[in-house]
Amino acid sequence: MPPPRPNPNRPRSPFTPLDFQLVLLRRMADHNPDLVAAARRRLGASITDMREANKRWQAMLRSPHARAAATRYRSVLGPPETTTARRIGDLDCEAWQWPVPLWSDLRFEALLAPNGALWNEWLVRAPGASPPVLRTLDDLTPWSCTVDEAARAFAPARPLEGTAPTRWGLAFTAPDGQGVRRRVAAEFTWGLLQRTAVGGPGGAPVDGPGGAPGGGPVG
């Protein structure tokens, strides 16, 4: 009897923290391909590796036998570096954080409800790491800050609907190099700044089409 043929859809190896970093990069490649290409080279991965990692990740999420988020992240990333009880408004949750070698001063954070449901998943500043100095539009470069850092630096900021899963938007005003306050819409992927759209001076922050940054030059 001939041996069974291997299933081409079966992963050849476990999904690793390296693969997960490639998933993060795949979402960012649409906006910052040069930064992503440099990051891939640091990881020793090809664009094919990145696409395959993302394909496997999506298959895991959509599988009828998909594991709970907490179990999935533990299996891929190992035990969290830290677990912290957190209260958001009237809700109690637990924040799990893992190191991300690509960004040594960031952590990947999953916010979990008491029943284990996933509330949020994004990149945040590592405990004890110095936050970026955000004063003007010139400081809002790709990958320079996280959602909460931009929201605090340019308060009051208003959330915008993301254009895809794992994407967020913020609308706020920020001064340009001459000190003129401009309307800004910023887009974040996995919680990390990807691009900004700048509108005219003063007034309410600019909204992009569909809640995405738009209406001005994309940096």
Side-chain angles (χ1 to χ4, degrees), residues 158 172-173 183-184 200 202-207:
R158 179 166 54 84
F172 51 86
T173 61
R183 295 172 293 143
V184 181
V206 62
D207 284 350

Side-chain angles (χ1 to χ4, degrees), residues 82-145:
T82 61
T83 59
T84 307
R86 192 175 296 172
R87 190 168 182 82
I88 301 176
D90 296 330
L91 303 174
D92 293 312
C93 64
E94 194 167 56
W96 293 10
Q97 292 187 356
W98 291 267
V100 187
L102 265 176
W103 298 283
S104 60
D105 58 346
L106 298 179
R107 295 292 183 267
F108 180 76
E109 180 180 85
L111 288 178
L112 300 168
N115 64 357
L118 181 68
W119 279 352
N120 202 5
E121 47 187 342
W122 58 4
L123 295 166
V124 298
R125 193 67 51 186
S130 299
V133 176
L134 303 175
R135 295 194 181 99
T136 72
L137 291 175
D138 292 339
D139 299 320
L140 293 171
T141 57
W143 297 11
S144 63
C145 64

Side-chain angles (χ1 to χ4, degrees), residues 15 19 22-23 48-57:
F15 202 88
D19 294 316
L22 293 176
V23 171
T48 300
D49 295 331
M50 182 177 70
R51 289 170 176 166
E52 180 62 23
N54 189 65
K55 180 180 177 181
R56 289 176 58 187
W57 179 256

